[in-house]
Amino acid sequence: MKPRLFAPLIFTIILGNLSTGYATEAAPGTTASSAPAQHEEAYRQFCQALKQQADAQTRDMAPAALIALNATNDEFCLDAWMARAAAEGEPVALWYQGIQMIGNVLPQQKQAAHVRKGVALCKKSADKNFVPAMLDYATFLIHGIGVQRNPQLGQNMIVNACKSGNFEARFYWLSENKKLSTIEDLQRKEVQSEIQRGNHDILFNLNNKCTSSEAAADMILQAAHMGNDKAMYNLFTLLRAADTKAAAQFLLQSAERHNPMALSALAHHYYAPQPAMETALQTGRHEETALKLFRLASMLGDLRAHYSLAAMYYHGLCGAEQNDHKAYQHLETAQQLRPADAAIRAAKGYMLLSGKGVQANPQQGFEEISKASRQNDAIARVIHAYVLYRGVGGIAQDTKTARDYLENLATYGNSVCFIFLSLMHEEGAADFAPGKQKAAYYLEHGIRSLGTYGQELYNFHKNSGKGWQLNPFDFSELPPTTP
């Protein structure tokens, strides 16, 4: 049955009437500048969207981000556009720049120069009564991050933020004053009053205090019905195996509210649709929609979107031009979002080692791969094995360790490693007995576990004439024709 594609409609539903037509100004692969000065009319609309965001006192940057994305077709343009708006005193832009500058703060970095500078920008935004900035700056005051610790001043700022009636501010005040510590706190008069006025943040954030999974699910459902996008996304993840139709509706509702994880999940559906979800959403594969949703989700800080885009630029997939530099940029951003992620660290290390998209630094790259491999992450261990097997970047070959890594992974369920072992035995490198018997043994095990995917993966590598060629990204995210 031919898939029913309604990609234009999905943007009307999810992103509103924001598709301004600027997308035609810079098609994929062009060299048009992404600077706001090159797109003055779009920048004017961008600033108007920021003003509307400030008036709504929300963290939702999707409307402004989409305008910039449509104008430039470059998901990395946002920093430059925000920098200009911040220089013009726009409170949302000041807050955005400050948070980006602060990043993930380690205990020993609480008073680092970049943290203090970022906190100062947040204060400028807070002084303009932008509630998200007021709450963030209050946190910095309470914990002494980038500013002298002053819990009382922080509490006062939270109280001032509450005067707007903002749900997040009222939830924050209740939390800071220990009024949401247990599930029994739901009975407090002030908590009930907030819920009655529609504060879904309370229900969503209290669900982990429930004494049973059923009670927690019920609370998440209540929060979703009240409009909480995180609750909607949680219900999508909880229901997609048991009730695909309901899961699809929650996914769309969350994406309509610009939840970054929902946008990314929907993008992945358009890139590699699963049959059940394809039926529920009445949509099939649509690369243009997938790429745009991934790009928007990455601008809103979604880790999976950055990782997926890195893979797409690395391979030139989904309508994205092959661009090693952009792939590396996405890995860098993803690592900033989750510094301890082994798969991201290993992929970034491989690009450093091999000089793809960045100036080669074999020593640093191999150190990153080795650290990631020691975390016992399967993807990191495969990358480590490949580097040792091929001697990438001048690293000393160690085919025995490479074989041991892959055999161990295969034994513990990572069946693609059977395919790699088969290819390596066919090549007959040191520590790999050449000959068809051993290769056939591993190939049989791989196909038995993976089915047609295993055969296609083997055929791709075999037909390349180069044997096993590494995909430094999660092979489960990519079709076997592009490992």
Side-chain angles (χ1 to χ4, degrees), residues 2-317:
K2 185 177 180 180
R4 289 163 288 181
L5 301 176
F6 62 106
L9 177 59
I10 210 73
F11 278 105
T12 302
I13 293 172
I14 293 174
L15 305 174
N17 296 312
L18 297 172
S19 192
T20 61
Y22 290 105
T24 58
E25 292 191 20
T30 65
T31 57
S33 171
S34 296
Q38 302 298 317
H39 309 277
E40 287 293 351
E41 174 57 23
Y43 177 72
R44 184 190 65 77
Q45 293 188 22
F46 174 81
C47 290
Q48 183 62 31
L50 292 183
K51 183 180 184 301
Q52 291 170 354
Q53 181 182 343
D55 290 343
Q57 301 288 13
T58 176
R59 295 179 187 268
D60 180 12
M61 296 189 301
L66 186 66
I67 290 168
L69 178 62
N70 282 338
T72 64
N73 215 28
D74 177 8
E75 64 272 21
F76 290 108
C77 73
L78 194 57
D79 284 353
W81 288 52
M82 285 291 191
R84 175 172 166 181
E88 294 167 359
E90 210 294 318
V92 173
L94 287 166
W95 164 73
Y96 171 88
Q97 272 210 311
I99 295 301
Q100 292 294 109
M101 195 172 294
I102 294 164
N104 290 305
V105 182
L106 299 173
Q108 63 270 28
Q109 295 179 319
K110 290 171 72 171
Q111 296 300 328
H114 73 279
V115 176
R116 295 181 68 85
K117 188 174 180 181
V119 170
L121 287 170
C122 282
K123 182 181 184 301
K124 287 184 178 180
S125 180
D127 289 344
K128 293 173 180 284
N129 297 317
F130 182 50
V131 167
M134 294 172 74
L135 297 177
D136 289 341
Y137 187 62
T139 300
F140 302 145
L141 286 167
I142 290 168
H143 299 284
I145 298 172
V147 68
Q148 185 175 350
R149 187 169 181 270
N150 192 331
Q152 186 56 56
L153 188 58
Q155 289 286 351
N156 293 344
M157 184 157 286
I158 294 170
V159 171
N160 287 334
C162 286
K163 293 176 182 178
S164 67
N166 181 273
F167 285 167
E168 183 187 2
R170 302 293 281 265
F171 165 77
Y172 202 96
W173 182 86
L174 289 167
S175 297
E176 282 296 314
N177 287 277
K178 313 298 182 187
K179 296 181 183 292
L180 292 174
S181 302
T182 69
I183 196 66
E184 286 74 24
D185 286 328
L186 270 177
Q187 307 309 316
R188 289 178 178 272
K189 183 178 179 180
E190 59 267 51
V191 173
Q192 280 297 312
S193 175
E194 274 302 300
I195 293 172
Q196 287 169 13
R197 60 184 291 267
N199 196 332
H200 46 68
D201 285 343
I202 292 172
L203 289 173
F204 177 72
N205 286 281
L206 265 185
N207 82 83
N208 60 359
K209 307 287 186 184
C210 292
T211 55
S212 70
S213 57
E214 291 80 6
D218 184 62
M219 193 170 289
I220 293 171
L221 184 61
Q222 290 182 59
H225 285 160
M226 292 168 68
N228 189 284
D229 61 281
K230 296 185 184 72
M232 293 168 185
Y233 181 76
N234 273 26
L235 288 168
F236 157 69
T237 63
L238 289 170
L239 293 172
R240 58 184 167 186
D243 188 344
T244 309
K245 186 176 181 180
Q249 291 306 307
F250 282 120
L251 175 62
L252 286 175
Q253 290 170 17
S254 184
E256 285 171 19
R257 289 159 176 79
H258 309 147
N259 180 285
M261 293 184 293
L263 291 170
S264 186
L266 194 59
H268 195 266
H269 162 75
Y270 277 107
Y271 175 62
Q274 298 299 310
M277 190 61 71
E278 187 173 352
T279 300
L281 289 172
Q282 297 188 336
T283 65
R285 182 178 171 89
H286 196 278
E287 291 187 348
E288 182 182 355
T289 303
L291 182 60
K292 193 164 190 178
L293 287 170
F294 272 134
R295 282 173 164 166
L296 179 60
S298 75
M299 295 171 83
L300 302 180
D302 182 72
L303 178 77
R304 187 187 190 193
H306 282 294
Y307 190 65
S308 297
L309 284 167
M312 288 173 177
Y313 282 117
Y314 187 86
H315 294 291
L317 297 173

